[in-house]
Amino acid sequence: MDIYRFRSWSELTIKEILYSEIFFASTDECNDPCDGKSFHTFLPNRSNWLNIIQKHSSRGPYVLDNTHVDSILNILMRHCPVTFDDFIEKIPGILRNEFSSHPDSNLFNQAIDHIVEYCNIYAPQTDYFASFTIDKNEPLMWSHYSSQHEGLCLIFRIEQNKFPQHPLLRKRHIKIDTRNGIAANMSHGINDDFHFSEISYNNSFEQLNAFYCFPHDVCENPTAEELDQYRSGLTKQEYTKHSSWAYEKEYRISLPAPISGLFGKRVSLSKQNRLFHYHPDWLVGVIFGARMNHERKSRLKDMLLERDEMTHSLSLPNRRLSSIAFFESKLSMLTKGIDILPADILNNGKIYTNSDRDFDTLWADWNSQTVIEVSGNSGSKRKLLS
């Protein structure tokens, strides 16, 4: 299966291609501010709120008696239902204002700080992700994600839904400094392969029960069926976008966020943590934007020749050798759309044009998704699995 990734023209893009880099973005770095988010709501469930408050009723240099607890509970119940985001942003101020003239206002403020700190640890987290598409011809994609057709589109050929890390540059875990985690030394594990998920599009979403974000004793041990239903709804929300984005026909690979509850604090990954290297053999083509000039096309070809030579010198295991095809995109005045036309092809350190003798054979192998699988000192041709 071929899958596409649109890129603007920049030195960063050149670096990404040369070193087979893939960056996993956060929601805050995306065009869609709701991308990857899930929507949780706190319901007016008195016993669940009581369980959260009681976790901190004896914490620190203060003790909340039943009257204090009831006072906090009554205000929380009055403002439910409330989304998790609004709870973190607005409810602390409301609580402090309610108790500002109370003789025990200092005690209440400490309790509020600890309750909010606890809730913030378990607040819904969004995974980091890298976006692809299955449509290379969509004009809006070229305009929005490829510098108004001055950029390019990378072609990746995936097999069995896998996007493997570079075999020599794998990240297996990310160390996270923590004092309050479940163990003294902890890290966030990373799989060798990333897997693609298809994005769905819709205009309405059901609110999820915010109490399920916490350890199960907060909800007083929900049933397996309830938890399965919650997890199903959570996954659906994380991989659904508003229907206005449907033109993207998006597939994505995700980097799971660390589970903050295990680390005892709110955890996020740095940009360097989110920079990975993919297996270079998975890149099999480049489509030049219709407005890309000749100089940039020549530079891309020279860079990919260098990349090809560099990759061969590394003696990588598990090679899956394929040509890299170059395509021109043309603006069609007849349809006002995009036509993608084959141009040249890179194979074994040489770029072939349509006047070269081996050009047709190389294109036939590329179009049929035929690769040379290398094992030890020998290789054999095979067609990729879907």
Side-chain angles (χ1 to χ4, degrees):
M1 174 181 174
D2 286 350
I3 200 162
Y4 308 95
R5 183 163 166 84
F6 286 90
R7 309 302 291 155
S8 60
W9 176 267
S10 68
E11 293 302 316
L12 178 60
T13 296
I14 294 295
K15 174 177 169 285
E16 285 180 358
I17 299 172
L18 182 60
Y19 298 109
S20 304
E21 293 177 348
I22 191 79
F23 178 73
F24 290 83
S26 67
T27 295
D28 293 339
E29 295 163 329
C30 295
N31 291 336
D32 178 4
C34 296
D35 210 343
K37 282 191 173 182
S38 54
F39 299 97
H40 290 74
T41 296
F42 285 109
L43 302 174
N45 187 308
R46 194 175 186 87
S47 63
N48 289 354
W49 276 121
L50 179 61
N51 289 335
I52 289 177
I53 296 172
Q54 286 181 334
K55 285 179 175 292
H56 303 278
S57 61
S58 301
R59 182 176 178 178
Y62 65 88
V63 175
L64 296 179
D65 61 27
N66 290 338
T67 302
H68 296 132
V69 171
D70 284 341
S71 296
I72 296 174
L73 264 176
N74 290 336
I75 296 171
L76 290 174
M77 294 294 291
R78 196 162 70 236
H79 286 86
C80 285
V82 59
T83 66
F84 214 128
D85 287 346
D86 281 347
F87 172 81
I88 296 296
E89 293 175 9
K90 300 176 181 179
I91 297 301
I94 292 172
L95 288 168
R96 290 189 180 93
N97 185 60
E98 290 275 357
F99 298 122
S100 61
S101 59
H102 194 284
D104 294 330
S105 60
N106 187 52
L107 182 151
F108 278 114
N109 286 338
Q110 292 183 73
I112 293 165
D113 287 343
H114 285 143
I115 292 168
V116 174
E117 178 187 3
Y118 175 75
C119 290
N120 195 48
I121 290 174
Y122 292 97
Q125 292 179 274
T126 57
D127 291 341
Y128 307 97
F129 46 86
S131 298
F132 300 74
T133 180
I134 56 171
D135 189 353
K136 62 183 183 294
N137 296 91
E138 173 55 58
L140 287 175
M141 295 295 287
W142 280 101
S143 292
H144 294 167
Y145 300 110
S146 191
S147 307
Q148 293 80 45
H149 300 259
E150 292 182 354
L152 58 134
C153 179
L154 302 175
I155 305 173
F156 294 94
R157 191 156 280 172
I158 63 174
E159 189 172 23
Q160 297 180 320
N161 208 40
K162 293 181 180 179
F163 196 69
Q165 290 196 56
H166 194 296
L168 302 182
L169 300 171
R170 290 190 189 109
K171 286 185 183 179
R172 298 189 183 277
H173 58 83
I174 297 170
K175 292 184 179 180
I176 297 175
D177 178 38
T178 179
R179 296 179 180 179
N180 302 318
I182 60 175
N185 297 303
M186 296 181 63
S187 62
H188 180 52
I190 309 294
N191 293 328
D192 287 347
D193 300 315
F194 299 104
H195 293 264
F196 285 91
S197 297
E198 183 178 4
I199 298 299
S200 300
Y201 303 92
N202 206 334
N203 288 349
S204 61
F205 301 88
E206 293 184 6
Q207 295 285 345
L208 301 173
N209 188 339
F211 292 111
Y212 285 151
C213 296
F214 296 87
H216 294 169
D217 57 350
V218 167
C219 289
E220 299 173 345
N221 298 315
T223 66
E225 183 179 355
E226 288 172 332
L227 289 176
D228 286 343
Q229 186 175 0
Y230 166 73
R231 294 187 189 107
S232 176
L234 180 61
T235 300
K236 182 178 180 180
Q237 287 200 14
E238 289 174 342
Y239 291 96
T240 302
K241 299 175 68 170
H242 189 274
S243 58
S244 59
W245 299 95
Y247 72 91
E248 293 181 336
K249 297 179 183 176
E250 182 182 349
Y251 281 68
R252 66 175 48 164
I253 53 176
S254 298
L255 173 65
I259 301 174
S260 293
L262 299 179
F263 295 92
K265 65 177 184 179
R266 190 72 175 175
V267 177
S268 59
L269 299 180
S270 69
K271 289 188 176 183
Q272 186 58 37
N273 290 153
R274 295 183 268 130
L275 182 64
F276 286 75
H277 298 268
Y278 59 83
H279 197 303
D281 291 346
W282 261 243
L283 177 64
V284 299
V286 178
I287 306 171
F288 302 130
R291 290 175 170 172
M292 180 180 284
N293 61 39
H294 178 73
E295 180 184 354
R296 289 178 175 178
K297 292 176 185 178
S298 295
R299 185 178 175 194
L300 274 171
K301 290 178 182 179
D302 289 342
M303 184 269 295
L304 283 163
L305 278 168
E306 180 181 336
R307 179 184 186 271
D308 188 60
E309 180 180 351
M310 180 173 63
T311 302
H312 279 80
S313 69
L314 293 176
S315 300
L316 296 177
N318 307 319
R319 295 302 309 271
R320 198 190 72 175
L321 302 179
S322 169
S323 299
I324 293 182
F326 297 101
F327 293 84
E328 299 277 359
S329 59
K330 299 291 185 182
L331 301 176
S332 172
M333 295 301 102
L334 182 63
T335 65
K336 300 291 186 178
I338 305 293
D339 293 330
I340 306 297
L341 307 173
D344 307 324
I345 192 163
L346 187 162
N347 182 271
N348 198 26
K350 178 182 176 181
I351 293 180
Y352 294 81
T353 67
N354 57 12
S355 61
D356 290 311
R357 184 180 62 181
D358 295 328
F359 181 83
D360 290 341
T361 300
L362 293 173
W363 269 105
D365 282 346
W366 191 92
N367 283 315
S368 65
Q369 301 196 6
T370 298
V371 299
I372 298 176
E373 192 166 60
V374 178
S375 178
N377 296 321
S378 63
S380 58
K381 281 189 173 185
R382 72 171 177 89
K383 291 187 177 182
L384 297 180
L385 302 173
S386 59

